[in-house]
Amino acid sequence: MGPGSLQHEWARVSNRLKSEIGETEFARWLAPLTPQHLEDGAVSMAVPTKFLKNWVASHYADRIQRLWSGENPDVARVEIVVARIEDGPAAADAAPLHVALGRNQGAADGPKPIGETLGSLPALEEEDGLVGLDPRFTFENFVVGKPNELAHAAARRVAESEHVPFNPLFLYGGVGLGKTHLMHAIAWSIRKRTPGRKVLYLSAEKFMYQFIRALRYKDTMSFKELFRSVDVLMIDDIQFICGKDSTQEEFFHTFNALVDQNRLIVISADKSPSDLEGMEERLRSRLGWGLVADIHPTTYELRLGILQAKADTLPLEIPPKVLEFLAHKISSNVRELEGALTRIVAHAELVGRAVTMETTQDVLRDLLRANDRRVTIDEIQKKVAEHFNMRVADMYSERRARAVARPRQVAMFLAKQLTQRSLPEIGRKFGGRDHTTVMHACKKVEELMATDQSFAEDVELLRRTLAS
């Protein structure tokens, strides 16, 4: 059969497919298909990428064959092959692959895309030196304590298991508590144990920029092939795509495609899936499918352990009293804690003075002053009780009258905003209440602030007073 007849038959089959699956789905998956030839009852259809070949073969090939047999009884099967079509319909709508990926372009080719190219994403391949991963962030260097033991155990399980134990693994917690360390550790461990597995680690921000670039260069198929062909996808700070509908839509389909293939997904965020405002409900639901592990604010014992582990790697002797002092005084996050120790060591090496309590307090004067200003939950309860003319004891009483419950909710909201305490810790300070009660209180206060200007001004006044 000549190519012209084949094209006419495909045009009729295409129209029937469009009416069945819709214009959007057809444009996304089947528009790039180009008929090549009919031989021995098999129609050969070309697509530009391996990912598209696998997707069409598993989802649409049987239906295409049945429709085509109705047009031409000689068609017994459909074969999907990968071929770059330079003169076919797909070529007219897409830039050549090397242009779309931004490779080897000189000044004469015009401006390059801002940031990284699709081709330079940090897949864990030997030749690219594990781009984007910090070699210090391994399981061996992670100090485990009660606040992070669940997250650590879950991370080790997914890194060491031959099968996917839970999907996705969702790690969340405040700034500087170890989420990124655990994600890097998972990647390093998988790379060491099973070098053949393809792991892709990047931030949600970079995921969004790669998606925008793929749209700009009309090369979304290469984008889909890159992200949906990995064995492990790791996305850091997923909260970045909250409110970004198009990126969420693409991540949603990527998520589903990987889960359907039993590929591992690891995600981190600063909040639990249910608390991610601006995230689509269907995506929030999927993010909570697997294991959600919270990393709580550090305890004194954990902070001291982290400092001791870091001190063991330093060339200087750090007095135990200095480490204990830092663990007591700097409770915000591990990053700030390690930064303080680095400042002390740098000062000692540059100035030539031994590390003592006096030099420590002098070098870290600004940092210690900032931490001393941190508000306590007791102070918040007292200030809110004064503002609403109620007893402090009612903050942790069982009374549920609105005149008591609403100020209590405000105090819980401010405790979450102004302290580093976890939700369970806040709940315990309010009469042993559950962490879900604190979550409900925070959401209720946020809703009221959005609709009641007077109430919002009251809460903001309290916040500024406590923070000053």
Side-chain angles (χ1 to χ4, degrees):
M1 177 182 293
S5 300
L6 209 59
Q7 290 284 0
H8 288 312
E9 289 182 4
W10 172 236
R12 290 192 290 272
V13 172
S14 297
N15 287 333
R16 294 185 64 183
L17 282 168
K18 285 179 189 176
S19 64
E20 286 185 11
I21 68 175
E23 292 277 354
T24 302
E25 285 298 303
F26 182 88
R28 177 177 292 167
W29 301 114
L30 301 180
L33 281 168
T34 303
Q36 300 292 288
H37 53 76
L38 172 60
E39 187 175 335
D40 296 330
V43 170
S44 178
M45 303 288 288
V47 293
T49 69
K50 183 180 178 182
F51 168 75
L52 190 57
K53 170 194 169 184
N54 294 337
W55 186 272
V56 173
S58 61
H59 290 79
Y60 297 105
D62 290 343
R63 186 55 186 156
I64 292 173
Q65 184 271 322
R66 284 194 291 272
L67 290 175
W68 210 315
S69 295
E71 293 289 333
N72 184 350
D74 292 335
V75 175
R77 64 186 185 279
V78 173
E79 295 179 348
I80 312 298
V81 300
V82 177
R84 200 66 184 170
I85 313 301
E86 299 298 340
D87 300 318
D93 296 329
L97 185 61
H98 71 279
V99 174
L101 297 184
R103 295 175 181 164
N104 303 320
Q105 297 184 69
D109 297 317
K112 295 181 181 179
I114 298 172
E116 298 177 30
T117 64
L118 282 174
S120 64
L121 276 172
L124 297 185
E125 300 294 343
E126 190 69 44
E127 61 268 22
D128 66 23
L130 302 180
V131 176
L133 294 179
D134 192 323
R136 300 170 301 167
F137 291 168
T138 64
F139 285 123
E140 291 72 25
N141 296 333
F142 190 83
V143 180
V144 183
K146 191 171 182 180
N148 59 28
E149 60 184 356
L150 172 61
H152 174 263
R156 293 212 75 131
R157 174 67 64 84
V158 300
E160 297 172 359
S161 177
E162 294 182 6
H163 308 289
V164 178
F166 21 74
N167 215 7
L169 170 60
F170 190 100
L171 305 173
Y172 78 95
V175 175
L177 297 183
K179 302 185 300 295
T180 298
H181 188 143
L182 284 177
M183 293 191 75
H184 287 214
I186 291 170
W188 285 119
S189 180
I190 291 174
R191 180 66 178 84
K192 181 178 179 181
R193 293 172 62 86
T194 52
R197 293 178 77 185
K198 186 177 179 184
V199 182
L200 186 58
Y201 167 87
L202 73 165
S203 66
E205 180 183 18
K206 287 184 179 178
F207 179 88
M208 185 190 76
Y209 288 150
Q210 299 294 3
F211 177 55
I212 292 171
R213 189 170 302 114
L215 293 176
R216 176 184 174 187
Y217 285 89
K218 299 181 180 178
D219 198 27
T220 55
M221 283 304 139
S222 292
F223 175 90
K224 293 177 189 294
E225 182 173 19
L226 174 65
F227 282 95
R228 303 185 192 185
S229 63
V230 299
D231 297 302
V232 183
L233 178 63
M234 309 182 75
I235 304 289
D236 211 350
D237 292 324
I238 197 68
Q239 72 274 2
F240 182 84
I241 66 172
C242 287
K244 299 173 175 65
D245 295 341
S246 297
T247 304
Q248 287 186 42
E249 175 81 15
E250 182 56 37
F251 180 73
F252 174 80
H253 292 300
T254 298
F255 183 100
N256 286 342
L258 290 174
V259 170
D260 288 345
Q261 300 173 64
N262 201 32
R263 308 289 177 83
L264 176 63
I265 302 172
V266 183
I267 294 167
S268 79
D270 62 351
K271 299 176 182 177
S272 69
S274 59
D275 288 335
L276 289 173
E277 299 294 336
M279 190 73 75
E280 291 182 13
E281 182 59 36
R282 60 177 182 171
L283 192 49
R284 277 194 295 188
S285 173
R286 280 161 174 76
L287 293 176
W289 267 357
L291 176 63
V292 178
D294 183 7
I295 303 179
H296 299 293
T298 55
T299 60
Y300 166 74
E301 291 78 12
L302 179 56
R303 291 194 296 273
L304 184 57
I306 291 169
L307 286 172
Q308 289 170 339
K310 187 169 179 64
D312 288 342
T313 67
L314 298 174
L316 294 179
E317 183 74 24
I318 310 295
K321 287 293 183 183
V322 170
L323 298 180
E324 293 168 9
F325 173 76
L326 292 177
H328 270 299
K329 285 292 187 178
I330 302 176
S331 59
S332 53
N333 65 67
V334 176
R335 204 169 292 150
E336 195 172 79
L337 191 66
E338 292 184 338
L341 187 57
T342 301
R343 282 172 64 178
I344 294 169
V345 173
H347 177 268
E349 290 180 336
L350 294 172
V351 178
R353 294 172 60 188
V355 177
T356 64
M357 285 292 295
E358 290 73 22
T359 59
T360 297
Q361 290 174 309
D362 186 48
V363 172
L364 302 179
R365 187 183 298 112
D366 60 327
L367 190 58
L368 296 173
R369 189 165 54 244
N371 277 272
D372 284 342
R373 286 202 304 267
R374 293 249 156 80
V375 185
T376 67
I377 294 178
D378 290 337
E379 290 173 323
I380 292 171
Q381 291 175 335
K382 182 179 179 181
K383 183 63 68 174
V384 173
E386 288 176 357
H387 183 82
F388 287 98
N389 196 26
M390 59 181 281
R391 298 180 307 154
V392 175
D394 284 332
M395 287 290 171
Y396 34 85
S397 73
E398 294 298 321
R399 293 186 60 194
R400 297 188 178 184
R402 184 170 181 176
V404 171
R406 187 55 45 76
R408 187 190 295 137
Q409 289 176 331
V410 171
M412 290 180 180
F413 171 80
L414 291 171
K416 183 174 181 292
Q417 294 287 315
L418 299 176
T419 74
Q420 298 293 322
R421 300 299 182 185
S422 66
L423 295 181
E425 286 178 312
I426 293 172
R428 285 194 291 271
K429 293 290 286 186
F430 285 83
R433 286 174 165 81
D434 189 76
H435 74 281
T436 56
T437 303
V438 182
M439 290 169 56
H440 172 74
C442 293
K443 284 188 177 181
K444 187 64 178 178
V445 171
E446 288 172 352
E447 290 170 1
L448 287 171
M449 289 177 69
T451 57
D452 187 333
Q453 183 64 31
S454 176
F455 179 78
E457 289 174 357
D458 270 358
V459 175
E460 181 59 23
L461 175 63
L462 281 165
R463 191 194 67 77
R464 284 201 305 267
T465 302
L466 286 161
S468 62

